Amino acid sequence: RPRLLLQQKKPRYPSATGEMRRRNQRYSKDSNANGTTRLRKKMRRDPSGIGTNTKKSGTNVVCGIGTRGSKGSNISHSPSVGDQEEKGRSSEAEPETASPKQEGPDSLPLVQVFFPTVDEFADFHDYISSIAPKAAKDGICKIVPPNSWTPDFQPTRKRFKYTNQKIELRCKKERGAVQISSSVQKRDLSVEDFVKLAATKICGAEAVPEDTNRVEDFDAHEDINRVEDFEAQYFKELQTSDYLEALYAKDLDFSAFASPDKEKCQWNLQSVPHLSKGLLKYVPYVVPGITTPYSYIGTRFSTFCWHVEDDLLYSINYLHAGSPKVWYGAPEEEMKLFETVYDELFPNISSQHNLSKKTTMIHPNFLREKGISVRKCIQKKGEFVLTLPGAYHSGFNCGLNFAEAVNFADDNWLESGFQELKKKKESFLVPFIPYTEVVVKAAESFWGGNLNKRFTAMKMLLDKERKNRLELKNRFPEVPRKLKKEWFAPSLAYCDRCKEYLYVTLITRKDKRSEREHINIGTRQTESRECDGNDAGSQEKVFLCIPCFCSEPEPEPEPKTEQSSKYEVTCFEHFSDAELRLKLSRLRRLQ
């Protein structure tokens, strides 16, 4: 009895056109060595990635995701770029050459791929510290966990809002550089509803099978061999099309990992920020996406634009299911050069503020022409991508997928965090991480860390505090100094001028101001509270750091009354000078 075999053929051209979307089927008879005739059906695969319900193959393919049917599939695939990375299980990446006809990046070298053993994989921070020096030259790297590590994928039942990404502004100097806007939609959807919406938007309602909303089986094998085609089509649309739209459910405040046991399952992203050797466990408040994971549900060509992590932290991204992600990264040493190139492309938009909003996509080829060593990473299901502090990175999704990411910090981050703190203070930006509190608490924990780096960070902090307190004593000897062990709430303890988080020394002053902004450090929500300046009872307490207080002009003297206390000033100290010196001496002895 003849067998019906389904054979896939790569598209002749990388871009999707109306002509290529029509499937070309033809039948031919072949005879094998035994003389048996078999019927072979050749089917040209749709380059647009829009699948149909193929009952004979037993696989339903919709916008890059296959949901298994009752029968197994006989589809075979040629080795993909991602498969080539794993050959020989080598940590060194080989350069990849793209087709000259494609619009995608030309000959971008791949990032390094690391394959930890079961013993190496047991300790998260030890392994990250061992590979960080090697991965620093790329800025990002890929980590393939051992085959024995199989985490449970548990999509949430929560409902969320999604965004609609569109090209908002194209650079006149370089068409491969665009500003992408994201408009938040008002509808609240579940994961199943979003999957069906994405499939309907791409394929059309008539092409969506009834069981498309099944998300328990994200199968990405239909897209793995087509990453190069997707990449070429993505950058061609970015350069030539004025309308590129994609759905993206991003920054979702939940995790698809099971409830963690912090020390037994260290690669569970819910437990990564709180591990014993990490530093984010000292943060006294919850910062979504930093101290707790964010989830991301991407669709075809949904983009995460060029950016560095908040406060130059590490980040770890895990692809739970679905189609691959394509990443581009640059090392930390080229961060300033990257911002200079951005300023040349968009002179009217500040790089420091706009890049943090993740709205800019720049063609990797253009960046390499400017001397930035951009590298590429193809992340498949079940793989991690690590980004190092200060590494600019971006990318896009090849199809529907489900990923999760979180930040973390170790002792190697202390120097980068200190530089970022100074930079944010000069720009009057509120930091996400209370650097001073993290340093002080880390110095009190003498085990499980790099004492040399903690000693260096504590010494810089101590020198800074000595200098500030000496200036305050010389200029304002009348200001009372009080020791306060029960510190202020984290949502209040920041300087109203430079936005620095205050943990060691804080100056309060009553001020008659019509309005004061209150910023919640954890949620970043800004609220305004009005007060009546004529009523002494409505006077606001302004929090200042010592440099900002000393730089303000001295107020004119006022006649003292029982209700007037406009210039009442108090300096609160969490630690005395002697306690700070004691902490430093203990670190020096342990060192």
Side-chain angles (χ1 to χ4, degrees):
R1 172 175 167 177
R3 293 185 303 169
L4 184 63
L5 302 180
L6 184 63
Q7 179 178 356
Q8 294 184 342
K9 188 173 182 181
K10 290 192 69 173
R12 189 172 299 175
Y13 304 101
S15 61
T17 61
E19 179 68 23
M20 294 180 65
R21 292 186 181 183
R22 295 198 293 267
R23 286 174 171 77
N24 182 14
Q25 300 178 358
R26 63 179 182 272
Y27 294 85
S28 62
K29 291 185 177 181
D30 294 338
S31 298
N32 56 18
N34 299 327
T36 304
T37 302
R38 64 180 183 180
L39 184 64
R40 180 168 58 191
K41 177 182 177 182
K42 294 185 178 180
M43 186 180 206
R44 180 171 297 165
R45 187 168 54 185
D46 183 6
S48 65
I50 302 173
T52 57
N53 190 355
T54 309
K55 295 182 180 179
K56 294 183 180 180
S57 65
T59 303
N60 300 326
V61 181
V62 179
C63 57
I65 289 192
T67 54
R68 296 177 186 172
S70 59
K71 298 181 181 181
S73 173
N74 292 327
I75 299 176
S76 61
H77 302 282
S78 59
S80 65
V81 176
D83 297 332
Q84 295 175 5
E85 293 177 355
E86 295 190 18
K87 282 190 175 182
R89 296 188 69 82
S90 171
S91 297
E92 297 295 334
E94 295 295 333
E96 174 191 0
T97 304
S99 172
K101 295 182 180 180
Q102 295 181 350
E103 300 290 339
D106 300 330
S107 304
L108 275 183
L110 299 177
V111 301
Q112 296 184 82
V113 185
F114 297 94
F115 299 87
T117 63
V118 175
D119 294 337
E120 293 173 336
F121 199 71
D123 194 300
F124 178 86
H125 280 286
D126 284 352
Y127 186 71
I128 295 298
S129 299
S130 66
I131 67 173
K134 302 176 183 178
K137 67 177 183 179
D138 300 336
I140 65 174
C141 69
K142 186 165 76 170
I143 301 174
V144 181
N147 295 331
S148 59
W149 191 74
T150 55
D152 295 331
F153 177 43
Q154 300 181 355
T156 183
R157 295 296 178 184
K158 294 182 180 180
R159 303 182 72 84
F160 54 85
K161 296 184 184 296
Y162 66 95
T163 61
N164 195 3
Q165 293 184 325
K166 296 181 180 179
I167 295 179
E168 181 180 16
L169 175 66
R170 189 183 304 279
C171 178
K172 297 181 180 179
K173 299 179 181 179
E174 172 60 34
R175 292 190 62 83
V178 297
Q179 296 286 334
I180 297 178
S181 63
S182 298
S183 57
V184 180
Q185 306 301 307
K186 296 181 179 180
R187 296 175 56 188
D188 287 336
L189 301 178
S190 64
V191 176
E192 292 85 356
D193 295 337
F194 182 80
V195 170
K196 193 160 188 176
L197 174 65
T200 303
K201 200 169 186 65
I202 297 178
C203 306
E206 66 280 356
V208 179
E210 295 180 357
D211 61 348
T212 304
N213 60 349
R214 296 192 309 161
V215 297
E216 65 272 11
D217 184 16
F218 280 71
D219 191 354
H221 71 271
E222 183 68 16
D223 289 340
I224 289 179
N225 296 328
R226 307 181 56 200
V227 173
E228 292 182 354
D229 297 339
F230 292 148
E231 185 180 34
Q233 183 181 352
Y234 172 77
F235 282 104
K236 182 176 181 179
E237 294 288 337
L238 211 64
Q239 291 175 285
T240 60
S241 175
D242 292 329
Y243 185 79
L244 178 63
E245 183 178 0
L247 303 180
Y248 197 14
K250 59 181 181 178
D251 299 342
L252 308 179
D253 192 9
F254 55 76
S255 173
F257 280 99
S259 298
D261 184 346
K262 289 188 291 186
E263 299 302 329
K264 292 184 179 179
C265 186
Q266 296 197 7
W267 292 78
N268 184 326
L269 296 196
Q270 294 189 69
S271 61
V272 165
H274 312 290
L275 295 175
S276 59
K277 296 181 181 179
L279 296 180
L280 294 190
K281 65 180 180 179
Y282 300 121
V283 178
Y285 45 81
V286 175
V287 187
I290 294 181
T291 60
T292 58
Y294 266 162
S295 293
Y296 302 85
I297 307 178
T299 63
R300 179 72 50 79
F301 297 159
S302 56
T303 305
F304 48 104
C305 298
W306 287 102
H307 68 284
V308 292
E309 295 300 316
D310 295 317
D311 292 355
L312 300 188
L313 294 165
Y314 290 86
S315 77
I316 186 80
N317 183 292
Y318 182 74
L319 186 58
H320 283 282
S323 302
K325 282 178 177 285
V326 179
W327 294 68
Y328 305 99
E332 178 187 10
E333 59 187 14
E334 298 175 358
M335 181 171 61
K336 293 183 179 180
L337 177 59
F338 188 98
E339 295 173 355
T340 302
V341 172
Y342 176 90
D343 292 335
E344 295 177 358
L345 293 174
F346 300 97
N348 298 327
I349 306 177
S350 172
S351 61
Q352 185 174 1
H353 292 79
N354 196 64
L355 286 173
S356 62
K357 297 179 181 178
K358 307 177 186 178
T359 60
T360 305
M361 193 63 188
I362 305 175
H363 202 295
N365 285 352
F366 178 78
L367 295 175
R368 290 184 68 85
E369 292 174 0
K370 296 295 184 178
I372 300 175
S373 53
V374 180
R375 291 179 178 264
K376 181 169 68 174
C377 173
I378 301 175
Q379 181 189 19
K380 298 184 297 182
K381 173 183 175 181
E383 297 176 343
F384 291 95
V385 169
L386 172 71
T387 66
L388 277 70
Y392 271 101
H393 55 280
S394 68
F396 68 94
N397 298 294
C398 294
L400 197 60
N401 57 27
F402 194 110
E404 186 173 337
V406 76
N407 293 109
F408 67 94
D410 58 13
D411 294 326
N412 296 320
W413 166 81
L414 289 172
E415 184 177 355
S416 300
F418 182 76
Q419 299 300 327
E420 181 67 8
L421 177 67
K422 292 170 54 179
K423 186 176 179 181
K424 284 197 169 184
K425 185 172 181 177
E426 295 172 355
S427 304
F428 306 102
L429 298 175
V430 181
F432 284 84
I433 300 302
Y435 180 83
T436 304
E437 183 171 0
V438 168
V439 170
V440 172
K441 291 183 176 180
E444 294 175 347
S445 177
F446 301 112
W447 311 113
N450 189 322
L451 290 181
N452 289 330
K453 294 185 179 297
R454 295 186 182 187
F455 171 79
T456 303
M458 190 66 178
K459 187 176 184 303
M460 288 190 297
L461 174 64
L462 181 59
D463 293 340
K464 174 185 172 183
E465 284 299 319
R466 280 179 176 175
K467 179 181 177 181
N468 291 340
R469 291 185 181 184
L470 183 61
E471 183 180 6
L472 178 66
K473 184 178 179 180
N474 293 335
R475 291 192 57 185
F476 303 96
E478 70 281 359
V479 173
R481 298 171 61 181
K482 297 182 180 180
L483 195 63
K484 185 178 177 65
K485 289 299 183 182
E486 296 183 2
W487 204 240
F488 300 89
S491 59
L492 297 175
Y494 64 91
C495 178
D496 283 332
R497 300 291 186 268
C498 67
K499 309 303 180 185
E500 179 185 1
Y501 181 83
L502 305 175
Y503 181 69
V504 180
T505 306
L506 181 149
I507 296 178
T508 63
R509 188 190 69 189
K510 289 189 176 181
D511 191 10
K512 290 184 179 179
R513 294 167 55 185
S514 59
E515 183 177 341
R516 183 198 176 200
E517 290 186 344
H518 296 268
I519 303 176
N520 190 309
I521 301 293
T523 62
R524 286 304 184 275
Q525 295 179 353
T526 303
E527 300 177 354
S528 298
R529 183 171 62 188
E530 296 183 358
C531 64
D532 184 6
N534 298 324
D535 184 8
S538 65
Q539 292 172 351
E540 285 286 341
K541 274 191 175 181
V542 178
F543 290 180
L544 299 171
C545 63
I546 296 179
C548 289
F549 175 77
C550 294
S551 62
E552 289 188 341
E554 296 186 11
E556 298 179 0
E558 272 192 359
K560 293 185 178 181
T561 63
E562 294 181 358
Q563 295 183 350
S564 177
S565 56
K566 180 176 180 179
Y567 300 111
E568 182 179 335
V569 178
T570 306
C571 178
F572 292 99
E573 298 174 350
H574 202 168
F575 302 105
S576 63
D577 296 339
E579 288 178 309
L580 287 176
R581 287 194 299 268
L582 178 61
K583 293 178 182 297
L584 186 62
S585 62
R586 293 174 69 184
L587 276 174
R588 187 182 293 110
R589 289 197 303 270
L590 287 173
Q591 187 186 22

